[in-house]
């Protein structure tokens, strides 16, 4: 153990001999050590003056020496012992210190070797565990892959079985269709051939008669030939035009008669199958509209309490339909509110008021389609979901809704041309009533005249887009009304592609594009190869034409643009089917 003491102060320049202490354990005191220090030692604390004049005079001290106390003596002894101890060299302590250092060095070396061994063992353990986990993972992956392969093989087997079944069914169906088509084509070909022969015979007779008359006229008017040549040319051209018009009218009447005869011949078969023709559907819708007007709305509006109750509930429908967004929760809430709070409240409405509210509800939905869907196509989706739910839940609403659709769109939802007589077989009172039955509206901007064709097409397309979206929604629990089932899409295309007069209208091209945009790809998934044939027929009508080269949509600029959209939509569907 070592001790350290602070360095003593430098001695005074006045050096005088002091009497040694009685007991210093053989060591000198501080003053004695200072006196015997070497003056030339650079490390000593000796003090030197520059000249003798700077040396102060020695102080006079009393001769009598003060006797040291016991405490001072003890302190001096302790200091002397410490000095002796600090200057003493102990070999044992040096050996002990060196031994401790060697022991620490050996211990550190052993500890390092042991730590390295432990780290190596941990690395080996981790490596073995990683290998075990990798082997386990590989085994599990093999098991999962084997299970997936078995499921995939099973799925492929089932798909192949279903595919073969559908192919056989399609083959049989098309064999029957082709046989019926061939039979009808043979009948039509034979009838056309007979008509052609009759027309040729009549044409020869007419030409012979005309030639005879011309020869007679030429003999009689030989002198006036130069003066009347221009008049005769004009008369001849007029006669030719009248002849063409008469032939066209005759052909149209003949085609209409053939179509009527064919439909009459097939009436029993349609009745047995539960099918109807477009004119029958139109007449049924017109009867429902007439009943609504005479037996429901007219009594309601003529009775003040009924009209007040009807107006109060009707005003609740419009804001709800206008607030509709493409949010499932909002759609459900609005549908439930209309059903539970307006149409079917806890305290039921009278039957007349109930029917009047259904008519107002259908009108509001169609008006919303005409305003919103024409601006944004996606707006038809939530509106169709609300309409579909209400059609499924409200009794008699499907008939009223379809009747209002026919009222807004004319014969296009069926599709069919509006006949020259109403359902009572009476001619239309005037052209304005017939135009209204065809779906035309008066335009305030045009001085109360009929709306332009572009505005008419856009409005009808908005209502029909809503109708096609309703057809696209699958039924929930029970089949929907026949007018709102997906097969109506196929029937709509079959009817419009078989009516050449409708196909020449630009509205037909616009509605065909709307139907393909909504149901084209979905119909391909449902009907497959059959739908491809329908698309091929539509595409041929937009490129090659039908009935002596006439194209779908006619030759107007509006029809041409709509026909181009139809062509591009068919190409898109065919591309996605590959």
């Amino acid at each position: 153990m070592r001790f350290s003491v602070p360095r003593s102060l430098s001695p005074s320049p006045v050096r005088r001999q002091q009497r040694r202490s009685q007991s210093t354990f053989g060591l000198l005191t501080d003053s004695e050590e200072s006196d015997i220090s070497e003056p030339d030692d650079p490390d000593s604390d000796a003090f030197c003056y520059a000249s003798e004049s700077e040396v102060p005079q020695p102080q006079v001290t009393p001769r009598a020496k003060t006797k040291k106390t016991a405490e001072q003596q003890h302190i001096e002894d302790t200091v002397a012992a410490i000095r002796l101890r600090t200057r003493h060299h102990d070999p044992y302590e040096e050996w002990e210190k060196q031994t401790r250092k060697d022991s620490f060095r050996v211990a550190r070396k052993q500890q390092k070797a042991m730590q390295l061994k432990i780290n190596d063992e941990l690395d080996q353990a981790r490596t073995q565990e990683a290998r075990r986990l990798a082997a386990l993972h590989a085994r599990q992956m093999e098991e999962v892959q084997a299970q997936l392969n078995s499921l995939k093989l099973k799925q492929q087997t089932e798909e192949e079985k279903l595919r073969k079944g559908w192919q056989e069914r399609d083959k049989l169906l098309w064999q029957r269709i082709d046989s019926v088509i061939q039979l009808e084509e043979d009948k039509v070909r034979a009838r056309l051939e007979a008509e052609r022969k009759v027309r040729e015979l009549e044409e020869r007779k007419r030409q012979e008669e005309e030639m005879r008359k011309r020869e007679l006229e030429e003999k009689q008017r030989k002198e006036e030939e130069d003066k009347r040549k221009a008049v005769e040319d004009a008369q001849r051209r007029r006669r030719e035009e009248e002849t063409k018009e008469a032939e066209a009218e005759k052909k149209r009447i003949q085609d209409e008669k053939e179509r009527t005869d064919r439909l009459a011949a097939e009436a029993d078969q349609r009745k047995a199958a539960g099918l109807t023709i477009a004119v029958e559907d139109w007449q049924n819708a017109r009867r429902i509209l007439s009943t609504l007007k005479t037996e429901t709305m007219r009594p309601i509006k003529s009775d003040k309490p009924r009209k007040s109750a009807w107006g109060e509930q009707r005003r609740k429908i419009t804001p709800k339909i206008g607030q509709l967004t493409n949010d499932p929760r909002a759609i459900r809430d609005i549908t439930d509110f209309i059903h539970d709070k307006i149409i079917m409240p806890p305290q039921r409405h009278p039957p007349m008021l109930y029917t009047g509210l259904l008519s107002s509800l259908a009108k509001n939905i169609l008006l919303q389609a005409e305003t919103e869907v024409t601006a944004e196509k996606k707006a038809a989706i939530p509106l169709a979901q609300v309409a579909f739910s209400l059609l499924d839940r409200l009794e008699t609403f499907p008939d009223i809704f379809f009747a209002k659709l026919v009222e807004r769109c004319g014969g296009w939802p069926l599709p069919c041309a509006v006949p020259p007589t109403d359902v009572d077989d009476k001619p239309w009172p005037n052209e304005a009533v017939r135009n209204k039955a065809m779906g035309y509206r008066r335009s305030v901007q045009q001085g109360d005249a009929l709306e332009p064709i572009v505005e008419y097409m856009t409005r009808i397309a908005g209502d029909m887009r809503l109708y096609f979206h309703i057809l696209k929604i699958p039924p929930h629990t029970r089949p929907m009304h026949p007018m709102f089932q997906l097969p109506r899409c196929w029937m709509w295309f079959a009817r419009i592609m078989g009516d050449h007069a409708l196909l020449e209208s630009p509205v037909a091209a616009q509605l065909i594009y709307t139907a393909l945009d909504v149901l084209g790809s979905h119909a391909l998934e449902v009907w497959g190869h059959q739908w491809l044939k329908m698309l091929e027929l539509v595409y041929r009508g937009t490129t090659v034409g039908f009935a002596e080269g006439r194209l779908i949509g006619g030759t107007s600029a509006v029809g041409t643009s709509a026909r181009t959209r139809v062509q591009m939509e068919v190409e898109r569907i065919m591309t996605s089917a590959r």
Side-chain angles (χ1 to χ4, degrees), residues 111-136:
Q111 192 268 345
K112 184 176 181 180
M114 186 178 295
Q115 188 66 34
L116 291 174
K117 181 178 180 182
I118 291 172
N119 291 339
D120 292 340
E121 292 176 353
L122 290 176
D123 291 340
Q124 293 178 0
R126 283 194 292 269
T127 303
Q128 293 176 357
E129 181 66 17
R131 291 176 180 173
R132 185 185 69 81
L133 292 176
L136 178 61

Side-chain angles (χ1 to χ4, degrees), residues 296-315 349-350 352-354 357:
T296 302
M297 301 309 301
R298 188 174 297 170
I300 287 177
K301 294 180 180 180
S302 62
D303 186 66
K304 189 173 182 180
R306 289 177 182 172
K307 183 177 181 181
S308 177
W310 169 71
E312 180 183 358
Q313 299 299 326
R314 179 176 60 88
R315 285 189 291 272
H349 297 302
M352 185 180 296
L353 180 59
Y354 171 77
L357 289 175

Side-chain angles (χ1 to χ4, degrees), residues 81-107:
I82 291 172
R83 288 178 178 172
L84 178 61
R85 178 65 179 174
T86 56
R87 296 173 182 176
H88 179 69
H89 176 72
D90 192 350
Y92 177 78
E93 288 184 357
E94 295 294 330
W95 173 82
E96 185 178 9
K97 185 186 300 183
Q98 187 64 33
T99 303
R100 188 179 295 108
K101 292 181 180 180
D102 295 340
S103 299
F104 285 161
R105 188 181 302 107
V106 172

Side-chain angles (χ1 to χ4, degrees), residues 112-294:
K112 184 176 181 180
M114 186 178 295
Q115 188 66 34
L116 291 174
K117 181 178 180 182
I118 291 172
N119 291 339
D120 292 340
E121 292 176 353
L122 290 176
D123 291 340
Q124 293 178 0
R126 283 194 292 269
T127 303
Q128 293 176 357
E129 181 66 17
R131 291 176 180 173
R132 185 185 69 81
L133 292 176
L136 178 61
H137 182 264
R139 185 168 64 257
Q140 291 176 348
M141 286 294 294
E142 292 176 356
E143 294 175 356
V144 171
Q145 190 64 34
Q147 186 70 17
L148 291 176
N149 291 335
S150 63
L151 293 175
K152 185 177 181 181
L153 181 61
K154 183 178 178 181
Q155 181 183 2
Q156 291 177 351
T157 304
E158 294 178 354
E159 290 179 354
E160 185 64 26
K161 184 178 178 180
L162 291 173
R163 190 180 297 108
K164 289 181 179 179
W166 277 105
Q167 289 176 355
E168 292 295 332
R169 179 180 175 278
D170 292 345
K171 185 177 179 181
L172 294 176
L173 180 61
W174 274 106
Q175 286 178 355
R176 291 197 295 270
I177 293 174
D178 291 340
S179 62
V180 173
I181 292 174
Q182 185 65 33
L183 180 61
E184 293 295 328
E185 288 180 351
D186 293 340
K187 293 180 180 179
V188 172
R189 192 179 298 109
R191 184 170 60 254
L192 292 177
E193 183 65 22
E195 292 175 357
R196 186 183 62 80
K197 291 180 179 180
V198 172
R199 286 196 301 271
E200 289 179 354
L201 181 59
E202 292 178 353
E203 183 67 20
R204 278 200 304 273
K205 291 181 179 180
R206 187 183 61 79
Q207 290 178 358
E208 291 175 358
E209 184 67 20
E210 289 181 355
M211 287 294 294
R212 187 180 62 82
K213 289 180 180 181
R214 275 200 301 271
E215 289 176 358
L216 182 60
E217 290 174 356
E218 288 176 359
K219 290 179 181 179
Q220 294 176 353
R221 302 172 186 177
K222 187 175 183 181
E223 297 177 357
E224 301 177 358
E225 182 178 358
D226 295 336
K227 292 190 295 183
R228 301 181 181 179
K229 186 176 181 180
V231 177
E232 290 177 358
D233 293 340
Q235 291 177 351
R236 185 174 60 255
R237 285 195 299 269
R238 186 170 59 255
R239 283 197 301 270
E240 290 176 355
E241 292 177 358
E242 292 176 354
T243 302
K244 291 181 181 179
E245 292 177 357
E247 290 178 355
E249 182 65 19
K250 184 177 179 180
K251 183 178 179 181
R252 187 189 65 79
I253 295 174
Q254 185 67 24
D255 293 341
E256 186 66 24
K257 184 176 181 301
E258 292 175 359
R259 184 169 175 270
T260 304
D261 296 341
R262 185 177 70 254
L263 293 176
E266 298 173 353
D268 295 336
Q269 298 179 0
R270 291 198 307 273
K271 185 176 181 180
L275 300 177
T276 58
I277 60 176
V279 176
E280 294 175 350
D281 293 337
W282 180 83
Q283 291 175 349
N284 184 42
R286 289 288 297 177
R287 291 190 187 97
I288 294 175
L289 288 173
S290 178
T291 304
L292 279 174
K293 182 178 180 180
T294 57

